[in-house]
Amino acid sequence: MRRLAWDQGFVAASPQCVHGAVGEPVRYDAWWPGASISAGTEEVTVRLPGVPALVLRPDGSREGIGAVFGVGGLIRGRWEWFLEPFDDGTIVNALLDLDVPGGERASSRRLHRLRVAVHRGLVGLKGALE
């Protein structure tokens, strides 16, 4: 079932600094609580607590503005980090456009668990960069 979600947080660091962190999923475990990473040659498998493994493939990047990943595995689609300069920091947006397996309730639960994991990641990113 196709699901769209958007989450955001503020990090008191420049967009370029934030881009360096979110643009390289092989380093997500350095700031994302509970993340475990397996890197292949062209994709990175990210395991987050309570979420099926996500296989991320780079699908574009705009230096200092964001990074886009194709998502594979049980959950498929696109994940974009979009960065907006704000005051002395950056608003970090996580935009999810995903096909989540299951009926209405099962896909809603999976998406909710992913959004909780993304929120934890945003808090971890904030803690690591500030």
Side-chain angles (χ1 to χ4, degrees):
M1 180 165 280
R2 184 166 185 210
R3 298 288 184 175
L4 304 171
W6 166 60
D7 292 287
Q8 73 176 186
F10 178 80
V11 177
S14 72
Q16 292 76 18
C17 181
V18 175
H19 186 274
V22 300
E24 295 189 41
V26 294
R27 296 187 355 199
Y28 283 6
D29 57 351
W31 52 266
W32 199 316
S36 108
I37 308 299
S38 303
T41 56
E42 295 188 24
E43 59 189 31
V44 174
T45 301
V46 178
R47 290 177 179 79
L48 304 168
V51 178
L54 303 170
V55 179
L56 302 181
R57 293 173 309 281
D59 195 21
S61 179
R62 296 180 298 246
E63 187 62 38
I65 297 175
V68 180
F69 299 98
V71 179
L74 184 62
I75 297 174
R76 298 180 177 278
R78 289 173 56 87
W79 177 328
E80 179 175 1
W81 294 105
F82 182 78
L83 310 177
E84 300 175 76
F86 183 78
D87 286 341
D88 291 333
T90 306
I91 296 174
V92 182
N93 298 281
L95 309 168
L96 306 171
D97 181 0
L98 304 169
D99 287 318
V100 183
E104 183 72 31
R105 290 177 59 147
S107 63
S108 291
R109 283 193 304 269
R110 284 187 174 115
L111 181 64
H112 175 73
R113 286 193 298 265
L114 178 57
R115 290 184 73 187
V116 167
V118 167
H119 178 75
R120 286 185 187 135
L122 288 170
V123 171
L125 179 66
K126 181 179 181 70
L129 297 181
E130 290 184 350

